[in-house]
Structures are given as structure tokens and as C-alpha cells.
Amino acid sequence: MANVDNSAGIWDAENVRSTLPKRNEDSHKGTYGTGLLIAGSPNMPGAAMLAGIGAMRSGVGKLVIGTAEEVIPVVVQRLPEATYERNGLIQLAEGKLTLDQFRVIAIGPGIVPNELAEKAIAKILESDVPVVLDAGALSKRDYHERQAPTILTPHPLEFARITGVKVNELQQNREHYAQVCAKKLGVTIVVKGQHTIVAFPDGETWKNGTGNSALAKGGTGDTLTGMLLGLLCIHDNWKHAVLNAVFLHGACADAWTEKRSAHTLLAHELTDFLPEVWKSYE
């Protein structure tokens, strides 16, 4: 790996307070944009729900969820505020969705990594829209031709799969490998785990100051993907959006463990804490 500056700042409460956007009194849903979430499959319908709630709780003006037809009745019960594109993955792969109508696109939670998914992702990457890639959307690719921000959100095993860096090596120096691989791939990498690392393609690297072991449970990453989508829609500075999403996600887990065991958190409960947690940093 190349030599880089391994130093990483700590993104803390003061950073968040100074960068969270204010909601203008004369704003409307168009002010905060439309986000597209491609998530969920017949065997993983909850992923679309978790990411969708994360997005809607994070300020997006309007959310479109593209998912398998049989997933919609499951999700709409918890998230009637979203609109839905039936079989969104197929529509994407066939070029039937106009992508420039969206401010941000997120894809991957609950998506099966197969040829159809790759075709859909290829269409997204051809767009000029900021993109968040998670879970089933993560694979080995080069992103240097993209002009818009591209954010990858791997846990350590996914990081190893898409970069070739062994997990034990990554865990010994996460700042270094995140920074090197972000530059090499031309993307922002959010390496999830204790003190999540956010490395931008220009070398800027931050360590997150919130979060705990309550997040070590299925579905919390789906929630983060949704929060990234929502915050990217409402921030003028996309870097601040990524850092604040990671911070607030962890801060919700910290709020949970103030009175509850870290063993007991369910992913859908994270966003129940977000309104009060967010308010505390405004």
C-alpha cells in the first residue's frame, strides 16, 4: 500500500452543531429533494423498511423506494409517506427510470448481488447523481470516471472483499487502509465498526466519535444507508452530510445504552431516538 498521511481527526459534537443545516421556514418538500432508494427483496423485505425510515427521518423531502412488488405491502404499513416503484431493480436495469430527477440515490440493503443488480448499478453509476452503495451493491469496481460523490459503506468483511485487504490487516490500521483505498478507487469509504472511519477520495479522513456495541446487529447498517441518503439530500456540503449521518447514527445507539443494555437494541428502534438526538445538536 502507498504511503499516506494516516492522521484522522475526530468528528465530534461541535463539528455537528456547526454543520447541520437549518430548515428554512419558507421551505417545501422540493427544497429538500427527492431521494431514490433501491432496497429489499422477497427474502429481505425489512431492509427496505429500515433504510426507508432512516431516510425519511433524516430530512429528505420525498422518498421513492424501488423494491420487489411483494415487499411493498410489508413496508408501506410502516412507511406510508414514501412512494414506491414496483420492481425497481428491473426498471433500473432496463433503463426505465429517469435518474436525473433524484437528488441522491442509495442502493444495496437487502439486494441480492447478481447480474440484474450489476446492470442496475451500472445504470446508476452512469448518472451524475451522488450515490450510496451498501451491502448487495458492493463489489470490486473502479469509480474514477464518476464526477458525482460515490459513497461505499462496507463492514470489515465487505471491505476485504472489494479491496483485497485482509480483515486482520484492516483492523490493525483502519485509518490507513480506508484512506489508501478511498484514493485508489476514487470514492468515499465509510468503514463501519468501533469508531467508524470516513475516508474521502482527496485523502481527508475522520474517525467518528459516537456509537457502541449495540450497533453490532443486523439491520443497523441498512438504517445508516437511509440516513446517508436523507442527509445528503438536505446538506449543501456532501462531506458534512456523510460525517453527520455517521455521527447521528452512533449517537442514537449511545442514547439507547444510557438506560438499556447494548444487547437489546433492534435496528428499527434507532430512528425512534433520532428526533431527540438530532434536536440536541441543533
Side-chain angles (χ1 to χ4, degrees), residues 235-271:
H235 276 71
D236 292 329
N237 185 311
W238 69 271
K239 286 184 174 181
H240 293 165
V242 174
L243 292 162
N244 287 339
V246 172
F247 182 97
L248 291 171
H249 181 258
C252 289
D254 292 339
W256 174 271
T257 55
E258 286 178 5
K259 296 182 179 180
R260 303 163 184 83
S261 168
H263 289 290
T264 63
L265 176 70
L266 299 179
H268 75 268
E269 293 167 316
L270 275 174
T271 43

PDB file of all heavy atoms in Angstrom, residues 235-271:
ATOM      1  N   HIS A 235     -28.126  18.552   2.866  1.00  0.00           N
ATOM      2  CA  HIS A 235     -26.886  19.311   3.068  1.00  0.00           C
ATOM      3  C   HIS A 235     -26.414  19.950   1.766  1.00  0.00           C
ATOM      4  O   HIS A 235     -26.499  19.335   0.702  1.00  0.00           O
ATOM      5  CB  HIS A 235     -25.767  18.398   3.579  1.00  0.00           C
ATOM      6  CG  HIS A 235     -25.763  18.161   5.049  1.00  0.00           C
ATOM      7  ND1 HIS A 235     -26.708  17.391   5.683  1.00  0.00           N
ATOM      8  CD2 HIS A 235     -24.910  18.581   6.027  1.00  0.00           C
ATOM      9  CE1 HIS A 235     -26.434  17.328   6.986  1.00  0.00           C
ATOM     10  NE2 HIS A 235     -25.350  18.065   7.221  1.00  0.00           N
ATOM     11  N   ASP A 236     -25.876  21.139   1.870  1.00  0.00           N
ATOM     12  CA  ASP A 236     -25.176  21.739   0.729  1.00  0.00           C
ATOM     13  C   ASP A 236     -23.786  21.129   0.567  1.00  0.00           C
ATOM     14  O   ASP A 236     -23.300  20.969  -0.549  1.00  0.00           O
ATOM     15  CB  ASP A 236     -25.052  23.255   0.910  1.00  0.00           C
ATOM     16  CG  ASP A 236     -26.394  23.959   0.821  1.00  0.00           C
ATOM     17  OD1 ASP A 236     -27.276  23.463   0.076  1.00  0.00           O
ATOM     18  OD2 ASP A 236     -26.565  24.996   1.492  1.00  0.00           O
ATOM     19  N   ASN A 237     -23.155  20.796   1.687  1.00  0.00           N
ATOM     20  CA  ASN A 237     -21.818  20.203   1.671  1.00  0.00           C
ATOM     21  C   ASN A 237     -21.959  18.700   1.854  1.00  0.00           C
ATOM     22  O   ASN A 237     -22.328  18.229   2.936  1.00  0.00           O
ATOM     23  CB  ASN A 237     -20.971  20.812   2.788  1.00  0.00           C
ATOM     24  CG  ASN A 237     -19.526  20.335   2.767  1.00  0.00           C
ATOM     25  OD1 ASN A 237     -19.256  19.141   2.684  1.00  0.00           O
ATOM     26  ND2 ASN A 237     -18.599  21.278   2.855  1.00  0.00           N
ATOM     27  N   TRP A 238     -21.681  17.931   0.804  1.00  0.00           N
ATOM     28  CA  TRP A 238     -21.927  16.493   0.867  1.00  0.00           C
ATOM     29  C   TRP A 238     -21.011  15.776   1.858  1.00  0.00           C
ATOM     30  O   TRP A 238     -21.403  14.776   2.459  1.00  0.00           O
ATOM     31  CB  TRP A 238     -21.810  15.866  -0.529  1.00  0.00           C
ATOM     32  CG  TRP A 238     -20.433  15.837  -1.111  1.00  0.00           C
ATOM     33  CD1 TRP A 238     -19.837  16.796  -1.875  1.00  0.00           C
ATOM     34  CD2 TRP A 238     -19.474  14.777  -0.989  1.00  0.00           C
ATOM     35  NE1 TRP A 238     -18.565  16.412  -2.235  1.00  0.00           N
ATOM     36  CE2 TRP A 238     -18.320  15.173  -1.713  1.00  0.00           C
ATOM     37  CE3 TRP A 238     -19.478  13.539  -0.356  1.00  0.00           C
ATOM     38  CZ2 TRP A 238     -17.173  14.370  -1.797  1.00  0.00           C
ATOM     39  CZ3 TRP A 238     -18.346  12.737  -0.443  1.00  0.00           C
ATOM     40  CH2 TRP A 238     -17.213  13.151  -1.163  1.00  0.00           C
ATOM     41  N   LYS A 239     -19.808  16.294   2.072  1.00  0.00           N
ATOM     42  CA  LYS A 239     -18.921  15.676   3.059  1.00  0.00           C
ATOM     43  C   LYS A 239     -19.514  15.788   4.456  1.00  0.00           C
ATOM     44  O   LYS A 239     -19.486  14.833   5.243  1.00  0.00           O
ATOM     45  CB  LYS A 239     -17.541  16.331   3.022  1.00  0.00           C
ATOM     46  CG  LYS A 239     -16.685  15.967   1.821  1.00  0.00           C
ATOM     47  CD  LYS A 239     -15.308  16.590   1.961  1.00  0.00           C
ATOM     48  CE  LYS A 239     -14.372  16.141   0.861  1.00  0.00           C
ATOM     49  NZ  LYS A 239     -13.023  16.735   1.016  1.00  0.00           N
ATOM     50  N   HIS A 240     -20.032  16.960   4.776  1.00  0.00           N
ATOM     51  CA  HIS A 240     -20.668  17.140   6.081  1.00  0.00           C
ATOM     52  C   HIS A 240     -21.856  16.201   6.243  1.00  0.00           C
ATOM     53  O   HIS A 240     -22.105  15.684   7.335  1.00  0.00           O
ATOM     54  CB  HIS A 240     -21.131  18.590   6.246  1.00  0.00           C
ATOM     55  CG  HIS A 240     -20.005  19.570   6.325  1.00  0.00           C
ATOM     56  ND1 HIS A 240     -20.197  20.933   6.165  1.00  0.00           N
ATOM     57  CD2 HIS A 240     -18.678  19.397   6.535  1.00  0.00           C
ATOM     58  CE1 HIS A 240     -19.033  21.548   6.285  1.00  0.00           C
ATOM     59  NE2 HIS A 240     -18.100  20.648   6.507  1.00  0.00           N
ATOM     60  N   ALA A 241     -22.583  15.970   5.157  1.00  0.00           N
ATOM     61  CA  ALA A 241     -23.725  15.061   5.215  1.00  0.00           C
ATOM     62  C   ALA A 241     -23.299  13.655   5.616  1.00  0.00           C
ATOM     63  O   ALA A 241     -23.929  13.012   6.469  1.00  0.00           O
ATOM     64  CB  ALA A 241     -24.429  15.022   3.856  1.00  0.00           C
ATOM     65  N   VAL A 242     -22.231  13.167   5.015  1.00  0.00           N
ATOM     66  CA  VAL A 242     -21.742  11.818   5.327  1.00  0.00           C
ATOM     67  C   VAL A 242     -21.292  11.740   6.782  1.00  0.00           C
ATOM     68  O   VAL A 242     -21.682  10.817   7.525  1.00  0.00           O
ATOM     69  CB  VAL A 242     -20.590  11.432   4.379  1.00  0.00           C
ATOM     70  CG1 VAL A 242     -19.978  10.090   4.788  1.00  0.00           C
ATOM     71  CG2 VAL A 242     -21.085  11.361   2.934  1.00  0.00           C
ATOM     72  N   LEU A 243     -20.506  12.698   7.201  1.00  0.00           N
ATOM     73  CA  LEU A 243     -19.978  12.682   8.567  1.00  0.00           C
ATOM     74  C   LEU A 243     -21.086  12.823   9.604  1.00  0.00           C
ATOM     75  O   LEU A 243     -21.075  12.147  10.636  1.00  0.00           O
ATOM     76  CB  LEU A 243     -18.942  13.797   8.726  1.00  0.00           C
ATOM     77  CG  LEU A 243     -17.652  13.585   7.927  1.00  0.00           C
ATOM     78  CD1 LEU A 243     -16.893  14.899   7.777  1.00  0.00           C
ATOM     79  CD2 LEU A 243     -16.775  12.521   8.582  1.00  0.00           C
ATOM     80  N   ASN A 244     -22.059  13.680   9.323  1.00  0.00           N
ATOM     81  CA  ASN A 244     -23.154  13.871  10.278  1.00  0.00           C
ATOM     82  C   ASN A 244     -24.079  12.665  10.345  1.00  0.00           C
ATOM     83  O   ASN A 244     -24.601  12.329  11.415  1.00  0.00           O
ATOM     84  CB  ASN A 244     -23.947  15.124   9.922  1.00  0.00           C
ATOM     85  CG  ASN A 244     -23.187  16.401  10.250  1.00  0.00           C
ATOM     86  OD1 ASN A 244     -22.270  16.388  11.071  1.00  0.00           O
ATOM     87  ND2 ASN A 244     -23.546  17.498   9.613  1.00  0.00           N
ATOM     88  N   ALA A 245     -24.281  11.994   9.222  1.00  0.00           N
ATOM     89  CA  ALA A 245     -25.100  10.777   9.235  1.00  0.00           C
ATOM     90  C   ALA A 245     -24.464   9.710  10.114  1.00  0.00           C
ATOM     91  O   ALA A 245     -25.136   9.070  10.939  1.00  0.00           O
ATOM     92  CB  ALA A 245     -25.295  10.253   7.817  1.00  0.00           C
ATOM     93  N   VAL A 246     -23.168   9.509   9.950  1.00  0.00           N
ATOM     94  CA  VAL A 246     -22.464   8.512  10.752  1.00  0.00           C
ATOM     95  C   VAL A 246     -22.510   8.892  12.231  1.00  0.00           C
ATOM     96  O   VAL A 246     -22.745   8.048  13.108  1.00  0.00           O
ATOM     97  CB  VAL A 246     -21.011   8.364  10.253  1.00  0.00           C
ATOM     98  CG1 VAL A 246     -20.202   7.471  11.188  1.00  0.00           C
ATOM     99  CG2 VAL A 246     -20.989   7.797   8.832  1.00  0.00           C
ATOM    100  N   PHE A 247     -22.296  10.172  12.516  1.00  0.00           N
ATOM    101  CA  PHE A 247     -22.306  10.637  13.904  1.00  0.00           C
ATOM    102  C   PHE A 247     -23.676  10.432  14.548  1.00  0.00           C
ATOM    103  O   PHE A 247     -23.789   9.884  15.657  1.00  0.00           O
ATOM    104  CB  PHE A 247     -21.922  12.117  13.954  1.00  0.00           C
ATOM    105  CG  PHE A 247     -21.850  12.682  15.349  1.00  0.00           C
ATOM    106  CD1 PHE A 247     -20.640  12.774  16.013  1.00  0.00           C
ATOM    107  CD2 PHE A 247     -22.995  13.130  16.005  1.00  0.00           C
ATOM    108  CE1 PHE A 247     -20.564  13.298  17.302  1.00  0.00           C
ATOM    109  CE2 PHE A 247     -22.934  13.637  17.287  1.00  0.00           C
ATOM    110  CZ  PHE A 247     -21.719  13.724  17.944  1.00  0.00           C
ATOM    111  N   LEU A 248     -24.736  10.879  13.886  1.00  0.00           N
ATOM    112  CA  LEU A 248     -26.077  10.781  14.465  1.00  0.00           C
ATOM    113  C   LEU A 248     -26.525   9.332  14.622  1.00  0.00           C
ATOM    114  O   LEU A 248     -27.205   8.978  15.593  1.00  0.00           O
ATOM    115  CB  LEU A 248     -27.074  11.555  13.610  1.00  0.00           C
ATOM    116  CG  LEU A 248     -26.920  13.085  13.625  1.00  0.00           C
ATOM    117  CD1 LEU A 248     -27.810  13.710  12.571  1.00  0.00           C
ATOM    118  CD2 LEU A 248     -27.208  13.658  14.999  1.00  0.00           C
ATOM    119  N   HIS A 249     -26.142   8.493  13.671  1.00  0.00           N
ATOM    120  CA  HIS A 249     -26.427   7.056  13.761  1.00  0.00           C
ATOM    121  C   HIS A 249     -25.826   6.480  15.038  1.00  0.00           C
ATOM    122  O   HIS A 249     -26.505   5.790  15.818  1.00  0.00           O
ATOM    123  CB  HIS A 249     -25.854   6.381  12.513  1.00  0.00           C
ATOM    124  CG  HIS A 249     -26.075   4.923  12.415  1.00  0.00           C
ATOM    125  ND1 HIS A 249     -25.082   3.996  12.716  1.00  0.00           N
ATOM    126  CD2 HIS A 249     -27.145   4.192  12.011  1.00  0.00           C
ATOM    127  CE1 HIS A 249     -25.547   2.782  12.500  1.00  0.00           C
ATOM    128  NE2 HIS A 249     -26.793   2.861  12.086  1.00  0.00           N
ATOM    129  N   GLY A 250     -24.562   6.789  15.290  1.00  0.00           N
ATOM    130  CA  GLY A 250     -23.918   6.320  16.507  1.00  0.00           C
ATOM    131  C   GLY A 250     -24.490   6.953  17.756  1.00  0.00           C
ATOM    132  O   GLY A 250     -24.625   6.298  18.803  1.00  0.00           O
ATOM    133  N   ALA A 251     -24.863   8.244  17.657  1.00  0.00           N
ATOM    134  CA  ALA A 251     -25.421   8.936  18.815  1.00  0.00           C
ATOM    135  C   ALA A 251     -26.757   8.333  19.243  1.00  0.00           C
ATOM    136  O   ALA A 251     -27.096   8.323  20.431  1.00  0.00           O
ATOM    137  CB  ALA A 251     -25.586  10.421  18.498  1.00  0.00           C
ATOM    138  N   CYS A 252     -27.529   7.820  18.296  1.00  0.00           N
ATOM    139  CA  CYS A 252     -28.779   7.136  18.640  1.00  0.00           C
ATOM    140  C   CYS A 252     -28.497   5.868  19.443  1.00  0.00           C
ATOM    141  O   CYS A 252     -29.230   5.545  20.395  1.00  0.00           O
ATOM    142  CB  CYS A 252     -29.568   6.812  17.373  1.00  0.00           C
ATOM    143  SG  CYS A 252     -30.302   8.240  16.559  1.00  0.00           S
ATOM    144  N   ALA A 253     -27.451   5.148  19.059  1.00  0.00           N
ATOM    145  CA  ALA A 253     -27.070   3.957  19.822  1.00  0.00           C
ATOM    146  C   ALA A 253     -26.591   4.338  21.220  1.00  0.00           C
ATOM    147  O   ALA A 253     -26.869   3.629  22.200  1.00  0.00           O
ATOM    148  CB  ALA A 253     -25.982   3.188  19.079  1.00  0.00           C
ATOM    149  N   ASP A 254     -25.877   5.468  21.314  1.00  0.00           N
ATOM    150  CA  ASP A 254     -25.439   5.937  22.635  1.00  0.00           C
ATOM    151  C   ASP A 254     -26.634   6.309  23.504  1.00  0.00           C
ATOM    152  O   ASP A 254     -26.651   6.045  24.716  1.00  0.00           O
ATOM    153  CB  ASP A 254     -24.511   7.139  22.473  1.00  0.00           C
ATOM    154  CG  ASP A 254     -23.175   6.767  21.837  1.00  0.00           C
ATOM    155  OD1 ASP A 254     -22.810   5.580  21.882  1.00  0.00           O
ATOM    156  OD2 ASP A 254     -22.523   7.675  21.303  1.00  0.00           O
ATOM    157  N   ALA A 255     -27.635   6.913  22.911  1.00  0.00           N
ATOM    158  CA  ALA A 255     -28.852   7.261  23.659  1.00  0.00           C
ATOM    159  C   ALA A 255     -29.548   6.006  24.164  1.00  0.00           C
ATOM    160  O   ALA A 255     -30.093   5.983  25.281  1.00  0.00           O
ATOM    161  CB  ALA A 255     -29.786   8.087  22.776  1.00  0.00           C
ATOM    162  N   TRP A 256     -29.538   4.958  23.345  1.00  0.00           N
ATOM    163  CA  TRP A 256     -30.154   3.692  23.755  1.00  0.00           C
ATOM    164  C   TRP A 256     -29.482   3.136  25.004  1.00  0.00           C
ATOM    165  O   TRP A 256     -30.152   2.709  25.957  1.00  0.00           O
ATOM    166  CB  TRP A 256     -30.065   2.680  22.621  1.00  0.00           C
ATOM    167  CG  TRP A 256     -30.539   1.304  22.998  1.00  0.00           C
ATOM    168  CD1 TRP A 256     -29.790   0.297  23.534  1.00  0.00           C
ATOM    169  CD2 TRP A 256     -31.874   0.801  22.907  1.00  0.00           C
ATOM    170  NE1 TRP A 256     -30.566  -0.816  23.783  1.00  0.00           N
ATOM    171  CE2 TRP A 256     -31.863  -0.529  23.405  1.00  0.00           C
ATOM    172  CE3 TRP A 256     -33.067   1.329  22.451  1.00  0.00           C
ATOM    173  CZ2 TRP A 256     -32.999  -1.315  23.445  1.00  0.00           C
ATOM    174  CZ3 TRP A 256     -34.210   0.545  22.494  1.00  0.00           C
ATOM    175  CH2 TRP A 256     -34.173  -0.762  22.995  1.00  0.00           C
ATOM    176  N   THR A 257     -28.165   3.120  25.025  1.00  0.00           N
ATOM    177  CA  THR A 257     -27.443   2.462  26.125  1.00  0.00           C
ATOM    178  C   THR A 257     -27.375   3.314  27.385  1.00  0.00           C
ATOM    179  O   THR A 257     -26.864   2.835  28.405  1.00  0.00           O
ATOM    180  CB  THR A 257     -26.018   2.078  25.685  1.00  0.00           C
ATOM    181  OG1 THR A 257     -25.333   3.239  25.201  1.00  0.00           O
ATOM    182  CG2 THR A 257     -26.052   1.018  24.605  1.00  0.00           C
ATOM    183  N   GLU A 258     -27.902   4.527  27.347  1.00  0.00           N
ATOM    184  CA  GLU A 258     -27.950   5.308  28.583  1.00  0.00           C
ATOM    185  C   GLU A 258     -28.823   4.626  29.638  1.00  0.00           C
ATOM    186  O   GLU A 258     -28.543   4.712  30.831  1.00  0.00           O
ATOM    187  CB  GLU A 258     -28.489   6.717  28.306  1.00  0.00           C
ATOM    188  CG  GLU A 258     -27.485   7.617  27.594  1.00  0.00           C
ATOM    189  CD  GLU A 258     -28.059   8.989  27.295  1.00  0.00           C
ATOM    190  OE1 GLU A 258     -29.211   9.260  27.729  1.00  0.00           O
ATOM    191  OE2 GLU A 258     -27.375   9.787  26.633  1.00  0.00           O
ATOM    192  N   LYS A 259     -29.880   3.926  29.189  1.00  0.00           N
ATOM    193  CA  LYS A 259     -30.787   3.279  30.135  1.00  0.00           C
ATOM    194  C   LYS A 259     -31.073   1.817  29.794  1.00  0.00           C
ATOM    195  O   LYS A 259     -31.844   1.166  30.497  1.00  0.00           O
ATOM    196  CB  LYS A 259     -32.118   4.041  30.192  1.00  0.00           C
ATOM    197  CG  LYS A 259     -31.998   5.451  30.730  1.00  0.00           C
ATOM    198  CD  LYS A 259     -33.365   6.132  30.801  1.00  0.00           C
ATOM    199  CE  LYS A 259     -33.260   7.539  31.370  1.00  0.00           C
ATOM    200  NZ  LYS A 259     -34.586   8.211  31.433  1.00  0.00           N
ATOM    201  N   ARG A 260     -30.445   1.304  28.730  1.00  0.00           N
ATOM    202  CA  ARG A 260     -30.780  -0.042  28.256  1.00  0.00           C
ATOM    203  C   ARG A 260     -29.506  -0.813  27.943  1.00  0.00           C
ATOM    204  O   ARG A 260     -28.482  -0.233  27.626  1.00  0.00           O
ATOM    205  CB  ARG A 260     -31.662   0.037  27.002  1.00  0.00           C
ATOM    206  CG  ARG A 260     -32.945   0.818  27.197  1.00  0.00           C
ATOM    207  CD  ARG A 260     -33.568   1.209  25.871  1.00  0.00           C
ATOM    208  NE  ARG A 260     -34.756   2.048  26.064  1.00  0.00           N
ATOM    209  CZ  ARG A 260     -34.710   3.352  26.261  1.00  0.00           C
ATOM    210  NH1 ARG A 260     -33.551   3.985  26.281  1.00  0.00           N
ATOM    211  NH2 ARG A 260     -35.827   4.035  26.436  1.00  0.00           N
ATOM    212  N   SER A 261     -29.617  -2.121  27.959  1.00  0.00           N
ATOM    213  CA  SER A 261     -28.475  -2.958  27.614  1.00  0.00           C
ATOM    214  C   SER A 261     -28.167  -2.878  26.125  1.00  0.00           C
ATOM    215  O   SER A 261     -29.076  -2.886  25.286  1.00  0.00           O
ATOM    216  CB  SER A 261     -28.766  -4.414  27.985  1.00  0.00           C
ATOM    217  OG  SER A 261     -27.787  -5.270  27.419  1.00  0.00           O
ATOM    218  N   ALA A 262     -26.888  -2.857  25.797  1.00  0.00           N
ATOM    219  CA  ALA A 262     -26.469  -2.860  24.396  1.00  0.00           C
ATOM    220  C   ALA A 262     -26.899  -4.130  23.682  1.00  0.00           C
ATOM    221  O   ALA A 262     -27.052  -4.142  22.454  1.00  0.00           O
ATOM    222  CB  ALA A 262     -24.950  -2.708  24.303  1.00  0.00           C
ATOM    223  N   HIS A 263     -27.128  -5.201  24.432  1.00  0.00           N
ATOM    224  CA  HIS A 263     -27.563  -6.459  23.822  1.00  0.00           C
ATOM    225  C   HIS A 263     -28.940  -6.348  23.172  1.00  0.00           C
ATOM    226  O   HIS A 263     -29.264  -7.116  22.270  1.00  0.00           O
ATOM    227  CB  HIS A 263     -27.632  -7.570  24.880  1.00  0.00           C
ATOM    228  CG  HIS A 263     -26.310  -8.040  25.367  1.00  0.00           C
ATOM    229  ND1 HIS A 263     -25.428  -8.763  24.598  1.00  0.00           N
ATOM    230  CD2 HIS A 263     -25.712  -7.886  26.582  1.00  0.00           C
ATOM    231  CE1 HIS A 263     -24.343  -9.043  25.315  1.00  0.00           C
ATOM    232  NE2 HIS A 263     -24.494  -8.525  26.509  1.00  0.00           N
ATOM    233  N   THR A 264     -29.756  -5.421  23.620  1.00  0.00           N
ATOM    234  CA  THR A 264     -31.188  -5.495  23.342  1.00  0.00           C
ATOM    235  C   THR A 264     -31.688  -4.602  22.207  1.00  0.00           C
ATOM    236  O   THR A 264     -32.859  -4.683  21.838  1.00  0.00           O
ATOM    237  CB  THR A 264     -31.988  -5.146  24.610  1.00  0.00           C
ATOM    238  OG1 THR A 264     -31.701  -3.790  24.992  1.00  0.00           O
ATOM    239  CG2 THR A 264     -31.627  -6.089  25.747  1.00  0.00           C
ATOM    240  N   LEU A 265     -30.841  -3.762  21.656  1.00  0.00           N
ATOM    241  CA  LEU A 265     -31.286  -2.846  20.601  1.00  0.00           C
ATOM    242  C   LEU A 265     -31.733  -3.610  19.358  1.00  0.00           C
ATOM    243  O   LEU A 265     -31.069  -4.557  18.917  1.00  0.00           O
ATOM    244  CB  LEU A 265     -30.144  -1.899  20.208  1.00  0.00           C
ATOM    245  CG  LEU A 265     -30.437  -0.953  19.043  1.00  0.00           C
ATOM    246  CD1 LEU A 265     -31.462   0.105  19.444  1.00  0.00           C
ATOM    247  CD2 LEU A 265     -29.156  -0.303  18.539  1.00  0.00           C
ATOM    248  N   LEU A 266     -32.860  -3.198  18.781  1.00  0.00           N
ATOM    249  CA  LEU A 266     -33.285  -3.652  17.461  1.00  0.00           C
ATOM    250  C   LEU A 266     -33.086  -2.501  16.487  1.00  0.00           C
ATOM    251  O   LEU A 266     -33.311  -1.340  16.827  1.00  0.00           O
ATOM    252  CB  LEU A 266     -34.743  -4.091  17.476  1.00  0.00           C
ATOM    253  CG  LEU A 266     -35.077  -5.257  18.407  1.00  0.00           C
ATOM    254  CD1 LEU A 266     -36.584  -5.566  18.339  1.00  0.00           C
ATOM    255  CD2 LEU A 266     -34.265  -6.490  18.055  1.00  0.00           C
ATOM    256  N   ALA A 267     -32.680  -2.825  15.271  1.00  0.00           N
ATOM    257  CA  ALA A 267     -32.284  -1.778  14.324  1.00  0.00           C
ATOM    258  C   ALA A 267     -33.377  -0.747  14.091  1.00  0.00           C
ATOM    259  O   ALA A 267     -33.096   0.448  13.966  1.00  0.00           O
ATOM    260  CB  ALA A 267     -31.862  -2.412  13.001  1.00  0.00           C
ATOM    261  N   HIS A 268     -34.638  -1.191  14.057  1.00  0.00           N
ATOM    262  CA  HIS A 268     -35.706  -0.231  13.767  1.00  0.00           C
ATOM    263  C   HIS A 268     -35.914   0.767  14.894  1.00  0.00           C
ATOM    264  O   HIS A 268     -36.566   1.796  14.708  1.00  0.00           O
ATOM    265  CB  HIS A 268     -37.025  -0.965  13.451  1.00  0.00           C
ATOM    266  CG  HIS A 268     -37.718  -1.536  14.645  1.00  0.00           C
ATOM    267  ND1 HIS A 268     -37.519  -2.824  15.083  1.00  0.00           N
ATOM    268  CD2 HIS A 268     -38.617  -0.973  15.493  1.00  0.00           C
ATOM    269  CE1 HIS A 268     -38.267  -3.035  16.144  1.00  0.00           C
ATOM    270  NE2 HIS A 268     -38.944  -1.938  16.419  1.00  0.00           N
ATOM    271  N   GLU A 269     -35.348   0.476  16.072  1.00  0.00           N
ATOM    272  CA  GLU A 269     -35.508   1.384  17.200  1.00  0.00           C
ATOM    273  C   GLU A 269     -34.537   2.559  17.149  1.00  0.00           C
ATOM    274  O   GLU A 269     -34.735   3.566  17.834  1.00  0.00           O
ATOM    275  CB  GLU A 269     -35.342   0.603  18.511  1.00  0.00           C
ATOM    276  CG  GLU A 269     -36.473  -0.393  18.722  1.00  0.00           C
ATOM    277  CD  GLU A 269     -36.201  -1.388  19.827  1.00  0.00           C
ATOM    278  OE1 GLU A 269     -35.078  -1.928  19.895  1.00  0.00           O
ATOM    279  OE2 GLU A 269     -37.125  -1.631  20.632  1.00  0.00           O
ATOM    280  N   LEU A 270     -33.478   2.457  16.347  1.00  0.00           N
ATOM    281  CA  LEU A 270     -32.518   3.551  16.248  1.00  0.00           C
ATOM    282  C   LEU A 270     -33.190   4.853  15.853  1.00  0.00           C
ATOM    283  O   LEU A 270     -32.953   5.909  16.448  1.00  0.00           O
ATOM    284  CB  LEU A 270     -31.435   3.213  15.218  1.00  0.00           C
ATOM    285  CG  LEU A 270     -30.240   2.389  15.674  1.00  0.00           C
ATOM    286  CD1 LEU A 270     -29.379   2.040  14.473  1.00  0.00           C
ATOM    287  CD2 LEU A 270     -29.428   3.141  16.720  1.00  0.00           C
ATOM    288  N   THR A 271     -34.029   4.788  14.832  1.00  0.00           N
ATOM    289  CA  THR A 271     -34.639   6.016  14.323  1.00  0.00           C
ATOM    290  C   THR A 271     -35.726   6.556  15.250  1.00  0.00           C
ATOM    291  O   THR A 271     -36.142   7.702  15.080  1.00  0.00           O
ATOM    292  CB  THR A 271     -35.207   5.792  12.914  1.00  0.00           C
ATOM    293  OG1 THR A 271     -35.890   4.538  12.858  1.00  0.00           O
ATOM    294  CG2 THR A 271     -34.098   5.798  11.875  1.00  0.00           C
TER     295      THR A 271
END
